[in-house]
Amino acid sequence: MTLTPPYCPVGAVIVKDIEQKIVSMPDVNEVDVELVWDPAWDPYIISGEALKRPNIR
């Protein structure tokens, strides 16, 4: 996954929350969330379907 800016002040909290949510799923015993910076996040990569959801923009 990526974050909007590399210096996101809540990045560690977001990663931890994702790890906890995924590992709580049935048959999931381990998870490793990897932060990547390539490609860089850009608002133009948001899909049309995602833009229809509330609170996206």
Side-chain angles (χ1 to χ4, degrees), residues 33-54:
V33 175
E34 180 182 353
L35 284 177
V36 296
W37 305 108
D38 185 31
W41 186 88
D42 185 300
Y44 295 104
I45 64 174
I46 300 173
S47 72
E49 182 180 326
L51 287 172
K52 293 176 187 174
R53 296 179 185 173

Side-chain angles (χ1 to χ4, degrees), residues 10-37:
V10 294
V13 174
I14 293 170
V15 169
K16 187 71 168 170
D17 188 46
I18 291 170
E19 288 173 341
Q20 289 174 347
K21 299 278 188 214
I22 294 173
V23 83
S24 71
M25 298 170 76
D27 300 322
V28 176
N29 299 315
E30 188 176 331
V31 64
D32 181 26
V33 175
E34 180 182 353
L35 284 177
V36 296
W37 305 108

